[in-house]
């Protein structure tokens, strides 16, 4: 842990006593719309903290308040102990924000953008050039370095924007949906960069609609919906809140489904969901908080089925995904293509068959990202 590496406890970015972010009852309203509706957050210094929520949940609004770009309408927020309203300058000195939408100069090349910004930050010409080259290389943009940013794809623009915000290593970096629209390879590059930035002592507050991204990167996650925190904890805690896993099985004979359902629900002491496919069944494994516990329960359930003469073609145990956590918490999927398409506030239309979209979120969201530019 970098927690004690530098600084004075209580004031320094790595100080053990002072969280990077602390809010209580934070509110930001746009007219009648309470985009942030009483958020309590505590982000420990030196970690990646994930703020996970669907379109319109209030992620960008919350980040803007914390980065002093918007004034809160209620509650309190401190960044490294500094009030975002009363000590906005001190907050600004420590944070950097990579916004959801690219803000670099389109007419300049990748290198020109980064060198210019680095010069504005006070780097010497050679140091600026060196840092720019380093970041362009790290972000897979070396080949595009001499091209104007307006010729970049959406994903490339996102990467250059992130690079621009870490020219100087900030104490707290806000990354607002940093990988939306990136292809899987670029996304992995960004994840690696986030990990590297954190290893150097920067705290990262990352917003995302992608559960696997929060799971991959964040030590703790706040799930927000309609401007409120509806769950908070480690990825493991959030997952265990919906059970230890799910078993999926396919029967040889649809006629045995009722018998199989009975045996399973007795063995697992859990609800069993019949799938739309007449030979499929899914059941939550309540578990005892450990993976081996879930595996043992699943194995016992399978043994019971065999003993009862139920012929099983396929049996598998899966970890609960954060998608399942989100569904369990909010009753709607975390990623909602209907909403992306129309920014419609109803979730009903997209509820069915939408989980795969959440798993493959970046691709699904790419058109939305392009459209908003
Ligand atoms: N400048 C603004 N003026 C009026 N309403 C706004 C403004 N910015 C955001 N809102 C509203 O506040 C709510 C939260 O929006 P916000 O952009 O914070 O959500 P988000 O979680 O970042 O969503 P997304 O995943 O789509 O980026 C939405 O209802 C949005 O329409
Ligand atoms: Mg947003």
């Amino acid at each position: 842990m970098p927690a004690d590496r530098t600084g004075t406890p209580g004031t320094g970015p790595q100080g053990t006593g002072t969280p990077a972010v602390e809010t209580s009852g934070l509110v930001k309203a746009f007219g009648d719309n309470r985009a942030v509706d009483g958020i309590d957050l505590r982000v420990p210094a030196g970690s990646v903290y994930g703020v996970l929520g669907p379109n319109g949940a209030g992620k960008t609004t919350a980040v803007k308040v914390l980065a002093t770009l918007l004034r809160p309408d209620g509650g309190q927020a401190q960044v490294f102990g500094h009030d975002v309203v009363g000590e906005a300058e001190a907050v600004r000195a420590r944070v950097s924000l990579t916004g959801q939408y690219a803000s670099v100069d389109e007419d300049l090349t990748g290198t020109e953008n980064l060198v210019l910004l680095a010069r504005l930050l006070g780097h010497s010409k050679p140091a600026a050039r060196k840092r720019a080259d380093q970041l362009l290389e790290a972000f897979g943009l070396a080949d595009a370095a001499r091209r104007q940013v307006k010729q970049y794809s959406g994903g490339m623009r996102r990467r250059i924007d992130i690079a621009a915000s870490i020219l100087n290593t900030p104490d707290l970096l806000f990354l607002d949906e940093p990988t939306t629209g990136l292809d899987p390879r670029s996304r992995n590059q960004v994840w690696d960069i986030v990990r590297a930035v954190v290893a150097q002592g920067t705290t990262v507050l990352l917003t995302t609609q992608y559960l696997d991204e929060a799971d991959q990167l964040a030590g703790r996650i706040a799930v927000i919906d309609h401007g409120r925190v509806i769950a908070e904890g480690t990825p493991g805690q959030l997952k265990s809140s919906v059970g230890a896993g799910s078993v999926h099985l396919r029967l040889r004979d649809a006629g045995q489904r009722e018998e199989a359902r009975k045996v399973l629900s007795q063995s697992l002491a859990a609800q069993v969901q019949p799938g739309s496919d007449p030979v499929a069944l899914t059941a939550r494994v309540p578990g005892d908080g450990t993976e081996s516990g879930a595996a043992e329960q699943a194995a016992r359930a399978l043994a019971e089925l065999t003993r009862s003469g139920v012929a099983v073609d396929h049996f598998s145990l899966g970890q609960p995904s954060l998608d399942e956590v989100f569904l369990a918490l909010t009753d709607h999927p975390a990623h909602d293509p209907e909403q992306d398409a129309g920014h419609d506030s109803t979730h009903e239309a997209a509820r069915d068959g939408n989980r795969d979209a959440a798993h493959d979120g970046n691709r699904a969201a790419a058109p939305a990202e392009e459209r908003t530019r």
Side-chain angles (χ1 to χ4, degrees):
M1 286 296 287
D4 293 307
R5 200 167 49 82
T6 60
T8 313
T11 57
Q14 306 301 333
T16 46
T18 310
V21 173
E22 190 153 39
T23 75
S24 85
L26 193 66
V27 172
K28 177 70 201 176
F30 298 107
D32 290 343
N33 180 6
R34 287 163 76 96
V36 171
D37 192 11
I39 284 185
D40 299 333
L41 273 188
R42 190 173 198 281
V43 177
S47 61
V48 179
Y49 193 93
V51 172
L52 174 70
N55 286 134
K59 302 180 298 295
T60 298
T61 305
V63 161
K64 283 186 173 168
V65 169
L66 294 174
T68 77
L69 300 175
L70 283 176
R71 224 184 142 88
D73 296 310
Q76 303 227 312
Q78 276 110 36
V79 172
F80 295 117
H82 299 291
D83 188 85
V84 295
V85 179
E87 300 169 278
E89 278 308 315
V91 172
R92 270 176 224 144
R94 287 166 171 233
V95 306
S96 185
L97 165 67
T98 304
Q100 192 168 0
Y101 307 114
S103 57
V104 294
D105 188 328
E106 290 196 359
D107 290 324
L108 299 181
T109 67
T111 301
E112 284 165 352
N113 265 295
L114 295 188
V115 169
L116 176 72
L117 290 167
R119 294 286 282 150
L120 289 172
L121 291 167
H123 291 269
S124 69
K125 223 173 188 171
R129 180 68 202 216
K130 190 171 167 213
R131 184 67 177 145
D133 288 347
Q134 201 181 36
L135 286 169
L136 289 162
E137 179 69 36
F139 278 70
L141 292 169
D143 291 345
R146 291 203 190 83
R147 275 169 34 208
Q148 282 179 306
V149 167
K150 66 179 162 206
Q151 297 168 27
Y152 284 18
S153 69
M156 291 160 78
R157 286 176 59 152
R158 177 58 51 86
R159 280 180 277 159
I160 193 88
D161 202 42
I162 297 171
S165 66
I166 61 169
L167 280 162
N168 266 359
T169 310
D171 292 332
L172 172 61
L173 176 63
F174 296 105
L175 290 175
D176 194 10
E177 301 198 24
T179 67
T180 300
L182 298 196
D183 62 32
R185 186 165 158 268
S186 310
R187 189 183 188 211
N188 271 304
Q189 288 173 332
V190 171
W191 288 358
D192 284 344
I193 283 157
V194 172
R195 293 183 184 111
V197 165
V198 171
Q200 287 168 11
T202 294
T203 305
V204 172
L205 191 155
L206 167 123
T207 77
T208 183
Q209 296 183 44
Y210 307 128
L211 306 142
D212 61 332
E213 177 158 287
D215 196 13
Q216 280 281 327
L217 292 175
R220 297 187 73 84
I221 299 170
V223 183
I224 69 167
D225 196 32
H226 301 296
R228 293 170 188 251
V229 176
I230 55 166
E232 205 273 348
T234 63
Q237 283 168 341
L238 291 175
K239 286 178 182 180
S240 65
S241 68
V242 290
S246 305
V247 294
H248 302 273
L249 65 112
R250 294 176 65 78
L251 307 170
R252 193 158 305 153
D253 175 5
Q256 288 193 310
R257 187 153 84 160
E258 184 48 31
E259 170 71 6
R261 195 193 58 74
K262 264 193 220 146
V263 173
L264 264 188
S265 65
Q266 225 160 42
S267 172
L268 294 170
Q271 279 223 324
V272 181
Q273 309 281 323
S276 49
D277 181 334
V279 294
L281 282 173
T282 297
R284 285 268 154 79
V285 183
D288 59 4
T290 66
E291 273 177 49
S292 67
E296 278 160 26
Q297 286 181 60
R300 264 202 307 276
L302 180 58
E304 290 286 331
L305 287 167
T306 310
R307 234 192 324 273
S308 312
V310 175
V312 176
D313 264 353
H314 173 88
F315 186 95
S316 66
L317 170 65
Q319 276 264 69
S321 67
L322 284 174
D323 305 75
E324 287 173 316
V325 175
F326 202 92
L327 270 169
L329 293 168
T330 67
D331 203 31
H332 63 79
H335 182 69
D336 195 328
E338 279 307 301
Q339 262 206 304
D340 274 357
H343 286 276
D344 182 351
S345 64
T346 59
H347 303 288
E348 306 301 329
R351 190 170 289 173
D352 292 334
N354 194 26
R355 292 205 197 176
D356 288 344
H359 278 299
D360 194 21
N362 280 317
R363 288 159 160 288
E369 196 224 12
E370 295 306 322
R371 206 183 45 250
T372 52
R373 292 194 181 283

